[in-house]
Amino acid sequence: MAQQNDQFKALVAHCKEYGFIYQSSEIYDGLSAVYDYGPYGSLLKNNLKEYWWKAMVQMHDNIVGIDAAIFMHPKTWKASGHVDAFNDPLVDNKDSKKRYRADVLIEDHIDKLEAKINKEVEKASKRFADFDEQMFRQTNTRVVEYQEKMDAIARRLGAAMTKGDMVELKAIIDDLEIADPDTGSRDWTEVRQFNLMFSTQLGNIAGEEGKLYLRPETAQGIFVNFLNVQKTTRQKIPFGIAQIGKAFRNEIVARQFIFRMREFEQMEMQFFIQPGTQQKWYEYWKAARLAWHQKTGTPAAKLRFHDHDNLAHYADAAVDIQFEFPFGFKELEGIHSRTDFDLSSHQELSGKKLTYFDPATNESYVPYVLETSVGCDRMFLAMMSNALVTEQVPGSDDPNNTREVLKLHPALAPIKAAILPLKRTEDRIVAKAKELFDKLKISSQCQYDDTGSIGKLYRRQDAIGTPFCITVDFDTLEDNTVTVRDRDTLTQERVPLENVPALVRDRTDMSLLLG
Ligand code: ATP
């Protein structure tokens, strides 16, 4: 755990030091759970969005994209259930005055039991040579006991959350003797519902009438445009609408850096289907989305499905794709079978028909919806935590000769190539390097850098994940070739200048992730 904490702290520090992420309004001591993306961060984030957009919209002729406004008619949020049901259970500790999410306190308690099980498994695996983990988990009395406890608590929590039973949540906290993680105090207030939507006011309408919300999810912009899009693009069911955009949630406990923010970005796709086919599409999108994550190079062991214990009011099936962040497996993406809940609610409240006439079956119906929803910022955090490694320099025998390198997939890397003159005081080398940069920048995001010795420049590019460093040296002046250094293997190849733009483009192109 301590090691994981250190790893996470190092990651946060790296993000700041190398211009990926800054605390918002830092000169005023920051704004809690709000972050700004710096020069390399915004490039990486844009690449992630491009990867998602292309995988969804470009690669599917039955998925189209939109860009809906953040503000929507206030009735939208009544129909969607957010006004009445977008709540988190809030509990205050009377001694520390700290505020917590009751369900998260209980989930943390479950995580502790899981950690105990993992410890037992680890101990036993060291003791026995032919260790059968599955058998051990099923038969070891202590492990079985922990597992039964975990399952019972999860069941109780799931039932309480589904019913919105705040009294029961408080009872679980009391029964498990859960204490304030900061102070150890067990003096809790009652648990109560807290609505997570931020509200604001239209300038020209006073009172409740003019109350607007900052959207807490991008999905509703898709639902209210369902017929507009279907008619104007002549799509037939099944078809999808994709969108990337900001969402806002007044999270009670905002921690773990960009994992839980109050302003964040979502990449959502709603897939409209014939009622009754939801199981098939649910399985299809589960597999497709997992494959999308794995393509980035994320090891399979770091991704897993986690079925929801308690379903949201709109869903008949829901699963999370969890990623193993430095603080454990947590939700990265949600896949929800939303039935016809949203379209039917909007139809009812707006009085406008939102049905689809299916020429294949000659019937009209309100389509069912399969949703995939991934947080762009969580994806960013997953990519960074996956990629950042400290390793012994390849080819070196000295274990103390280490480097910090960000092994991002080349198509996602913020800078694709750095052009480095071997000697910055040699005008002819500098001129040649700048000439190459001017050619290269037309096709790839590149950087010219002559601010240090070549060794230091390499280290810096490793730290921001640049796949290729291109060195212009004395030989270049003679034979018009340059050295191309590979970030991961450190191999160097000599390449004619005129081949460099195509080489960089081919080895860093987004198509590498899409094919
Ligand atoms: P959680 O249980 O972690 O609060 P959620 O189930 O409420 O998440 P969804 O409503 O399914 O999340 O949102 C879809 C995706 O949006 C999530 O999988 C996550 O990647 C992202 N997301 C949700 N809330 C936040 C947040 N506060 N900060 C950053 N990303 C978020």
Side-chain angles (χ1 to χ4, degrees), residues 33 82 86 88 101 103-104 107 196 216-217 247-251 253-255 257-268 308 312 314 319-321 325 330-336 338 371-379:
H82 283 82
F86 194 54
D88 274 342
R101 255 173 73 175
D103 56 331
V104 172
E107 275 166 5
L196 298 184
E217 62 176 25
F248 304 83
R249 295 183 188 178
N250 201 355
E251 299 281 0
V253 187
R255 53 178 186 178
F257 195 38
I258 56 169
F259 179 82
R260 191 171 298 287
M261 302 155 90
R262 297 205 163 96
E263 173 180 341
F264 58 100
E265 228 166 332
Q266 287 184 316
M267 307 191 280
E268 294 199 306
H308 279 211
Y314 52 74
V319 68
D320 294 338
I321 295 179
F325 289 97
K330 299 274 172 210
E331 174 177 344
L332 175 58
E333 167 153 6
I335 296 166
H336 309 122
R338 294 183 77 123
E371 168 184 76
T372 72
S373 174
V374 56
C376 187
D377 313 270
R378 281 194 197 173
M379 190 62 202

Side-chain angles (χ1 to χ4, degrees), residues 31-44:
L31 182 63
S32 156
V34 186
Y35 292 91
D36 298 337
Y37 284 82
Y40 300 121
S42 50
L43 285 168
L44 171 55

Side-chain angles (χ1 to χ4, degrees), residues 1 100-117 145-154 156-157 169 171-181 186 188 255 330:
M1 198 55 160
Y100 295 94
R101 255 173 73 175
D103 56 331
V104 172
L105 284 177
I106 299 166
E107 275 166 5
D108 285 351
H109 187 87
I110 296 175
D111 285 349
K112 279 188 197 146
L113 290 171
E114 192 174 16
K116 283 187 183 167
I117 294 180
E145 205 177 288
Y146 288 143
Q147 189 62 51
E148 279 170 359
K149 260 193 205 162
M150 274 173 66
D151 294 344
I153 300 168
R156 223 176 134 187
L157 173 64
L169 285 176
I172 302 175
I173 291 176
D174 289 340
D175 291 350
L176 298 175
E177 300 186 346
I178 293 175
D180 182 328
R186 294 203 182 98
W188 298 106
R255 53 178 186 178
K330 299 274 172 210

Side-chain angles (χ1 to χ4, degrees), residues 237-239 271-275 277-278 281 365-370:
I237 275 178
F239 78 95
F271 201 65
F272 298 92
I273 56 175
Q274 192 186 0
T277 61
Q278 64 268 37
W281 289 112
Y365 53 80
V366 176
Y368 269 35
V369 170
L370 225 293

